[in-house]
Amino acid sequence: RNPHSLFKVEAPDEKGELHVWVVEGAAPGQLASDGITRTTLRPNDQVIVTGRPGRGAGGEYRLLLQRIERPSDGFKWQGNSN
């Protein structure tokens, strides 16, 4: 079983309260074949993340990554739609 990539993003809810989301992405090998490296996304990048909500224990916010965009430079990545 391949390990998946994980990263965290901070995003406001409908009331404007910030929450940290744990985002699970594709396996590192798949990301690397798409040209994504450890330095593609940096702390404080402003990104738009789209995915399916996951189940987090104890009120944790989790998301299964489907797409990520960085509007500042037009970077986009979209995984398969499984």
Side-chain angles (χ1 to χ4, degrees):
R1 182 172 178 186
N2 282 335
H4 289 103
S5 57
L6 291 174
F7 61 94
K8 294 179 181 181
V9 295
E10 192 174 55
D13 63 15
E14 61 280 347
K15 297 176 189 173
E17 186 176 332
L18 288 177
H19 298 279
V20 174
W21 285 77
V22 176
V23 181
E24 180 179 350
Q30 179 185 352
L31 295 174
S33 70
D34 290 340
I36 297 174
T37 69
R38 289 178 172 245
T39 61
T40 300
L41 298 172
R42 304 300 300 162
N44 299 314
D45 278 353
Q46 300 291 310
V47 294
I48 300 168
V49 177
T50 306
R52 294 190 304 246
R55 298 176 198 207
E60 183 178 60
Y61 293 83
R62 294 187 69 90
L63 191 76
L64 180 59
L65 179 66
Q66 293 177 316
R67 180 180 173 91
I68 188 165
E69 302 176 51
R70 185 176 48 221
S72 65
D73 64 0
F75 167 79
K76 294 180 183 175
W77 179 86
Q78 184 164 340
N80 59 29
S81 58
N82 292 338

